Amino acid sequence: MVVIPTFHLVGRLHRIEIAESLTKAPEAAKQFWWNDRQKVLNPLETDIYYGLTRTHDPSFSWTTYLPSMRVEHLSDIPNGFASDTIPASLCVGFRYIRNHHYEEIDQQRAKALYNAINELSMEKKGKYELLDTDFYIEKIDTSTYDGQYCQMEWFAPIRLR
């Protein structure tokens, strides 16, 4: 468990059907990283990608996904971009480490990570409540990729019971 501070994100907002999220979210992430990240004004961490998923209502068949970069303030949002502020939160964090390029995080690899997260939350049922229906964040520090090593961090708010 970790405490994350309040921070701001700017990126391109996508509405993604849950049934298609394991393919559409990685596609949106790659498109942002290849084509749009240079348009984010004054990013705080030029090598770090953030993917923010928000579930606005559990009955909806879709979520919003914001491929983004962290910024100091929200006064310089480029046209066609969106912003979000993550509140300071107690989160559970997971780290995915494998021997491939970070752009190869695909449906199969993402599903394995989410299965592990779900298993852990079921094992600890009663001790805490995973609030991933509020939001969750993927974080990739692209500077750690050395030709062999890929790392992705995943954070979701948690409430201790």
Side-chain angles (χ1 to χ4, degrees), residues 4-131:
I4 60 170
T6 298
F7 62 96
H8 308 292
L9 298 172
V10 169
R12 293 266 190 200
L13 189 62
H14 298 265
R15 182 175 145 169
I16 296 181
E17 291 293 323
I18 293 170
E20 300 176 325
S21 63
L22 290 176
T23 56
K24 297 295 184 182
E27 287 174 22
K30 289 175 193 173
Q31 289 304 314
F32 173 80
W33 198 250
W34 295 333
N35 302 319
D36 291 326
R37 71 181 162 127
Q38 306 86 318
K39 298 172 189 166
V40 174
L41 304 174
N42 304 311
L44 290 174
E45 306 153 319
T46 58
D47 294 328
I48 299 181
Y49 167 83
Y50 291 87
L52 170 65
T53 299
R54 285 198 181 270
T55 304
H56 299 276
D57 184 316
S59 68
F60 291 174
S61 65
W62 54 271
T63 62
T64 57
Y65 185 63
L66 183 69
S68 59
M69 297 181 79
R70 191 166 74 100
V71 297
E72 186 171 349
H73 51 79
L74 298 177
S75 59
D76 296 321
I77 302 170
N79 191 29
F81 282 63
S83 66
D84 205 321
T85 299
I86 305 303
S89 306
L90 176 63
C91 288
V92 62
F94 294 87
R95 186 171 288 154
Y96 169 91
I97 299 172
R98 291 292 185 268
N99 185 9
H100 60 77
H101 194 281
Y102 56 84
E103 289 182 355
E104 294 175 19
I105 298 173
D106 59 9
Q107 178 178 3
Q108 182 180 1
R109 291 178 169 119
K111 189 173 183 178
L113 173 66
Y114 296 130
N115 286 344
I117 292 164
N118 287 335
E119 285 178 28
L120 180 65
S121 65
M122 295 307 284
E123 283 177 22
K124 303 294 182 183
K125 202 148 193 92
K127 184 174 182 181
Y128 65 82
E129 181 181 1
L130 185 63
L131 303 173

